Amino acid sequence: MLNVSDNELLTRTGPGTPMGELFRRFWHPVLLAEELSEPDGTPVRLRVLSEDLVAFRDTDGKVGIIDALCPHRRAGMFFGRNEECGLRCVYHGWKFDVHGRCVDMPTEPLDSTFKDKVTIKAYPTAEYGGCIWIYMGPPEKQPALPDLEWARVPDSQRVLSRWLQECNYMQAVEGEIDSAHVSWLHAPLQVEASPFRGRFNDAIIRDGAPQITVKPTDYGFCYGARRDADNGEYYWRVTQWLLPTFSLIPAHGFPRGGRCWIPIDDTHISVIQYNYHPERPLTEAEVQRGKNSPQIQPARYRLPDGVTIDICRDVLNADNDYLIDRELQRTQNFTGIQVIRTQDTAMTESMGGIVDRTQEHLGTTDVAVIAARRRLLKMARDLEDGVEPVEALRPEIYNVRAVDMVCTEGDFSHFMDLYAEEAVGKI
Ligand code: FES
Ligand SMILES: [Fe+2]
């Protein structure tokens, strides 16, 4: 459990909060490049770390992410005209470029210099790995982009999807580094016959109490979940957690990947899921699976405070109880929810916007969850004391892989010594 103040510290990422300041030292992927594919196309509304923003691609193909509201009298820039290398507010015609400079102010006299004094908030952006990234921290602290293998492969070897989740980022991160739930939440019933069996390993189904060991690393940590397999062997799943919110999930072979969980605000997340193959283009079937279609659909989403953002939403969501089917739950799978990803969403959203961690009772399989909280809390406190997060400044440490393997080695540190090469990215 956490006390009230640590839970607040962990979960609040708005401007001026300690965790918000920490997050602002990292680059974050906030949109898929395909969401802003056209020069001079339709802008996209987003909220990142509780700041309302608008993204647009200008005539030259450059991406700007600027304040959602015009600095003149605060009209919505989303409704602007995206034309001739700038976004022009349609209320009185003020126009801004991707750097936030006011490049036209037609309501002022021709000889006025007022335009040179007005800017709109604009953040540095980058296109990388099929995503639009944003850096929202102090300019002098801006790091290089992280060396993530999924982002470095050619576009044809990667598939991405992005959707909304309605809870605090940390609930989702904690679900991602919790190998024990896989044997329960995602379990098929009637093991051999079930269509929900999918890629489930027998050991996952049989051993629902994995032994978990955390190994802190420069980029976050990896942890090994060891389950008993046949013939005295062990089934190891090594999950990677990369600061601040990236995961790499083990699976047998490629394509595989993970997710990152970017706070929209303290009770909503923009999730980006990446699947990739390091050696070959993905097949059409792999692309369709990775896009989560047809469950993930484009939506205009009105946040509780009335601000609208543009983001895909799962058609199985809290409004319809994720279409839980009790007959399916009796006969086919553990949850009665059809889609594995949605099973995770249902659990983390069911905790509420920000879970009250003073009420929880953590068990032996929660060691990775505890380690992640401690690491983030320490980093946020360190930054308050003037200690910068070195994790953000070393892009090369992010080139790692999850590991999925059956072998006779039962000790995690020996296992990681033996199979160190398996945990390194090759791109
Ligand atoms: S409010 Fe945007 S130009 Fe006046
Ligand atoms: Fe899961």
Side-chain angles (χ1 to χ4, degrees):
M1 62 174 272
L2 288 184
N3 63 35
V4 171
S5 64
D6 278 359
N7 203 30
E8 286 287 296
L9 180 58
L10 185 67
T11 55
R12 303 285 180 188
T13 57
T17 61
M19 196 60 73
E21 290 307 302
L22 177 66
F23 272 56
R24 283 166 174 77
R25 293 297 200 271
F26 292 85
W27 282 95
H28 301 283
V30 289
L31 292 173
L32 307 189
E34 67 195 44
E35 293 179 84
L36 273 185
S37 55
E38 289 290 308
D40 291 341
T42 304
V44 176
R45 290 165 288 195
L46 64 165
R47 177 179 287 179
V48 185
L49 306 179
S50 300
E51 297 187 40
D52 290 320
L53 303 165
V54 165
F56 68 102
R57 190 182 289 279
D58 78 4
T59 315
D60 294 338
K62 290 197 242 80
V63 172
I65 301 186
I66 62 175
D67 193 340
L69 302 181
C70 177
H72 177 212
R73 289 204 353 247
R74 310 298 280 158
M77 293 298 295
F78 167 74
F79 297 99
R81 299 175 63 87
N82 187 6
E83 58 186 16
E84 294 165 4
C85 289
L87 189 61
R88 187 186 294 279
C89 176
V90 289
Y91 206 178
H92 311 94
W94 293 19
K95 179 176 168 183
F96 302 91
D97 69 10
V98 294
H99 305 293
R101 292 183 292 240
C102 184
V103 292
D104 195 17
M105 192 180 271
T107 50
E108 294 297 306
L110 273 181
D111 58 352
S112 166
T113 57
F114 187 37
K115 136 172 118 53
D116 304 327
K117 301 188 180 76
V118 175
T119 56
I120 191 168
K121 178 171 74 179
Y123 287 117
T125 66
E127 279 194 72
Y128 173 50
C131 297
I132 310 284
W133 296 65
I134 191 172
Y135 173 73
M136 299 169 70
E140 70 280 9
K141 308 281 188 199
Q142 183 179 319
L145 289 152
D147 287 353
L148 295 155
E149 191 176 47
W150 65 263
R152 289 153 61 94
V153 296
D155 289 349
S156 62
Q157 294 174 214
R158 172 194 332 108
V159 58
L160 301 163
S161 64
R162 183 174 87 93
W163 68 89
L164 171 81
Q165 187 154 322
E166 296 167 283
C167 67
N168 183 259
Y169 83 93
M170 196 58 190
Q171 282 154 233
V173 168
E174 290 177 359
E176 205 79 328
I177 52 175
D178 162 25
S179 206
H181 84 268
V182 180
S183 299
W184 301 100
L185 180 71
H186 303 315
L189 303 180
Q190 301 173 343
V191 169
E192 293 307 327
S194 174
F196 291 91
R197 186 179 168 79
R199 297 163 78 180
F200 275 78
N201 182 303
D202 283 346
I204 289 187
I205 294 167
R206 275 203 311 264
D207 187 351
Q211 196 179 100
I212 293 180
T213 313
V214 176
K215 178 176 184 251
T217 63
D218 292 343
Y219 51 83
F221 61 63
C222 63
Y223 75 89
R226 194 192 83 182
R227 290 173 165 90
D228 291 331
D230 291 328
N231 308 321
E233 292 188 306
Y234 298 106
Y235 172 45
W236 285 99
R237 297 182 83 230
V238 181
T239 302
Q240 300 280 6
W241 175 57
L242 300 95
L243 284 156
T245 63
F246 294 93
S247 69
L248 293 171
I249 306 296
H252 188 60
F254 285 92
R256 72 175 180 215
R259 303 178 192 93
C260 73
W261 309 87
I262 308 304
I264 291 172
D265 54 27
D266 294 339
T267 54
H268 298 83
I269 313 167
S270 163
V271 189
I272 288 183
Q273 175 177 287
Y274 30 89
N275 280 292
Y276 73 103
H277 199 297
E279 284 150 19
R280 62 157 174 83
L282 301 185
T283 66
E284 188 51 34
E286 289 165 347
V287 168
Q288 287 310 316
R289 203 162 45 239
K291 282 191 173 302
N292 294 304
S293 47
Q295 279 85 21
I296 299 288
Q297 293 290 335
R300 291 169 67 257
Y301 182 78
R302 210 163 158 84
L303 291 157
D305 59 8
V307 172
T308 300
I309 57 173
D310 302 299
I311 190 167
C312 288
R313 194 174 184 206
D314 196 333
V315 295
L316 315 179
N317 57 53
D319 294 345
N320 52 31
D321 290 334
Y322 313 93
L323 297 183
I324 184 171
D325 178 336
R326 298 291 179 180
E327 182 58 21
L328 191 78
Q329 189 175 36
R330 269 188 287 276
T331 59
Q332 293 289 328
N333 74 7
F334 203 66
T335 57
I337 295 170
Q338 287 275 359
V339 180
I340 286 180
R341 173 187 40 73
T342 310
Q343 295 162 4
D344 289 306
T345 305
M347 292 304 98
T348 47
E349 290 184 346
S350 70
M351 298 169 183
I354 300 180
V355 65
D356 179 359
R357 291 184 175 81
T358 67
Q359 298 296 310
E360 64 187 10
H361 298 80
L362 299 181
T364 49
T365 60
D366 297 314
V367 287
V369 169
I370 294 167
R373 293 176 187 178
R374 284 197 183 134
R375 179 80 171 252
L376 281 169
L377 288 169
K378 179 171 186 325
M379 290 172 71
R381 289 198 174 102
D382 282 352
L383 184 57
E384 279 191 293
D385 293 338
V387 181
E388 291 291 326
V390 291
E391 296 84 348
L393 298 169
R394 295 182 53 204
E396 73 283 1
I397 61 181
Y398 282 75
N399 191 18
V400 295
R401 285 182 178 178
V403 182
D404 180 286
M405 189 176 288
V406 176
C407 69
T408 53
E409 179 55 59
D411 177 85
F412 185 50
S413 61
H414 292 164
F415 173 85
M416 288 304 285
D417 289 344
L418 274 173
Y419 298 104
E421 265 303 296
E422 297 287 327
V424 176
K426 308 292 188 288
I427 305 294

